[in-house]
Amino acid sequence: MLLLAVAFIVAFVLLLYMVSPLISPKPLKLPGAHVVVTGGSSGIGKCIAIECYKQGAFITLIARDENKLLQTKKEIEKYSVNDKQVVLCISVDVSKDYEQVDNVLKQAQEKLGPVDMLVNCAGTSVTGKFEDIEVNSFERLMAVNYLGSVYPSRAVIATMKERRMGRIVFVSSQAGQLGLFGYTAYSPTKFALRGLAEALQMEVKPYNIYVTVAYPPDTDTPGFAEESKTKPIETKLISETSSVCQAEQVARVIVKDAIQGNFNSSVGSDGYMLSILTSGMSPVTSITEGLQQVVCMGIFRIVGLFYLGSFDSIVRRCMMQREKSESADKNE
C-alpha cells in the first residue's frame, strides 16, 4: 500500500513537470527588443541594461543625472553584439510628473520602436528609527519608489495591450517581503509594488503581458553603500545574517525571470525561502511552481520563525545595552 502511494506521488509529480510548460508563457526574445530601464545609470539598473544589451536588445536608459547616464551609455556600448544596437539616454525624474514621463517614453518609442520590456528600477532608501525619520522622507520615498514605477508602467501599458505582448518588471526588495528594523519608511514603498503587480498582472495576463516582481537582497551598489552610512546598529546586525550579492548576479536572475514571465524573482536560498513564505495569492507561471509553494510552506515557516526570533533578540539586546549606557552616563 505504501509503495502504491509513493508510486502515485511520483507519477503525479512527473505529470506536473510534463504539463507545466504548457501553461507557461513563451519566453520573450531579447535580440532586437526595446528594453527601457529606469534608474539605469547605476547599480542594479545599469547591470540589467548591460545584461539585456549583451543579448542583443536596444536600450533606453532613464535617470535624473545626465552625466552619469552618458557615462553608463559608453560603458554599455562596449558589450554590443551587432552594429544596429542603440543606447538611448533620457534625463527625467520618473516620480514627479506623469505627463513628462509619458512624453519622453513616446519619444523613445518613436526612435527605437514599441517597448517590449520595462524595468522599473528607480528607487532610493532612508534608514532610521521611525520617530527619527523626517516626515517628508516618507512622502519622498513613496513618490520615488512607488509612483516612480506607476508612471512609466502607465505610459507603456496601452501599447503593450495593442501588441498583445510585453514584460513589466518592478524591482522591489527583500525589505518588501518582510518589515525590518530601520526600514519603516522604505519597506512600505516596496510592499506597495507587490500589490500593484498582483492587481496589474490579473488585468494584463489575457493580453500576453507578464509582470515580474524582483526581490533582491542586500546588493553591492552605490545606493547600498550610501544607505549603510546611516543604518541603526540593529539594522546592521540583522543585515549581517545574510551575505551581500553582486549587482551583476542579481541582474542576470531578474532578466532571466522577466524573459520567462515569472511573477516572483529572487536570489539565493534566503530569497527562495522568502518567495515561498510570502507567495500568498500571487500568480504562478507553472503548476510546478505552485506545487513547490504548497510543499515547502510549512517547513519554511518554521525556519522563518527562528529568523524572527533571532532578529527580536538582536533588537532587545541593543535596547538593553543602550539603556545601560544611558544609565551609566547619568550616574557619572
Side-chain angles (χ1 to χ4, degrees), residues 201-236:
Q201 179 64 98
M202 193 173 290
E203 286 189 23
V204 301
K205 188 175 181 180
Y207 296 89
N208 193 37
I209 301 168
Y210 288 88
V211 177
T212 297
V213 187
Y215 301 104
D218 286 343
T219 306
D220 187 11
T221 64
F224 177 71
E226 191 65 28
E227 171 195 311
S228 298
K229 295 177 182 178
T230 59
K231 279 183 178 178
I233 183 63
E234 293 90 343
T235 309
K236 290 180 180 180

Side-chain angles (χ1 to χ4, degrees), residues 1-231:
M1 190 68 180
L2 180 61
L3 289 175
L4 184 63
V6 171
F8 176 79
I9 293 172
V10 171
F12 179 65
V13 172
L14 289 174
L15 179 63
L16 288 177
Y17 271 100
M18 293 173 62
V19 173
S20 60
L22 300 178
I23 67 169
S24 299
K26 292 182 179 179
L28 176 71
K29 296 179 180 179
L30 280 184
H34 181 191
V35 178
V36 174
V37 184
T38 70
S41 62
S42 65
I44 295 174
K46 181 177 78 171
C47 291
I48 288 174
I50 290 174
E51 184 65 25
C52 292
Y53 200 69
K54 285 180 179 179
Q55 297 187 41
F58 289 66
I59 305 294
T60 294
L61 290 177
I62 298 178
R64 291 175 300 175
D65 192 321
E66 189 170 358
N67 291 329
K68 288 175 85 173
L69 277 171
L70 294 175
Q71 292 173 5
T72 302
K73 172 183 167 71
K74 292 178 182 179
E75 186 175 344
I76 293 174
E77 288 175 336
K78 297 176 183 177
Y79 298 94
S80 64
V81 296
N82 61 65
D83 296 334
K84 296 180 180 180
Q85 282 180 277
V86 175
V87 179
L88 177 66
C89 293
I90 299 176
S91 176
V92 67
D93 187 337
V94 292
S95 67
K96 284 192 174 181
D97 183 354
Y98 169 71
E99 295 299 330
Q100 188 177 19
V101 173
D102 188 41
N103 287 334
V104 298
L105 279 169
K106 284 178 179 176
Q107 294 171 19
Q109 293 184 91
E110 288 173 0
K111 294 179 180 179
L112 301 183
V115 175
D116 296 289
M117 182 162 80
L118 167 66
V119 183
N120 292 290
C121 203
T124 188
S125 176
V126 171
T127 56
K129 294 180 184 177
F130 182 66
E131 68 272 21
D132 293 337
I133 299 174
E134 295 292 334
V135 172
N136 61 7
S137 293
F138 290 87
E139 298 170 352
R140 180 169 63 88
L141 261 64
M142 187 58 76
V144 175
N145 295 349
Y146 178 68
L147 294 180
S149 293
V150 170
Y151 293 166
S153 302
R154 179 69 173 73
V156 303
I157 199 68
T159 304
M160 285 186 174
K161 280 187 172 183
E162 289 173 3
R163 300 175 66 223
R164 294 293 197 275
M165 65 170 293
R167 297 287 191 273
I168 297 177
V169 181
F170 298 106
V171 178
S172 180
S173 164
Q174 285 188 352
Q177 293 175 294
L178 76 160
L180 292 172
F181 190 105
Y183 287 110
T184 51
Y186 178 72
S187 280
T189 66
K190 294 300 187 177
F191 269 86
L193 291 177
R194 163 68 174 271
L196 169 63
E198 286 191 4
L200 182 60
Q201 179 64 98
M202 193 173 290
E203 286 189 23
V204 301
K205 188 175 181 180
Y207 296 89
N208 193 37
I209 301 168
Y210 288 88
V211 177
T212 297
V213 187
Y215 301 104
D218 286 343
T219 306
D220 187 11
T221 64
F224 177 71
E226 191 65 28
E227 171 195 311
S228 298
K229 295 177 182 178
T230 59
K231 279 183 178 178

Side-chain angles (χ1 to χ4, degrees), residues 20 262-264 276 283-294:
S20 60
N262 295 332
F263 184 79
N264 289 305
I276 296 290
V284 296
T285 48
S286 72
I287 297 176
T288 306
E289 181 185 0
L291 180 64
Q292 289 174 349
Q293 292 170 356
V294 171

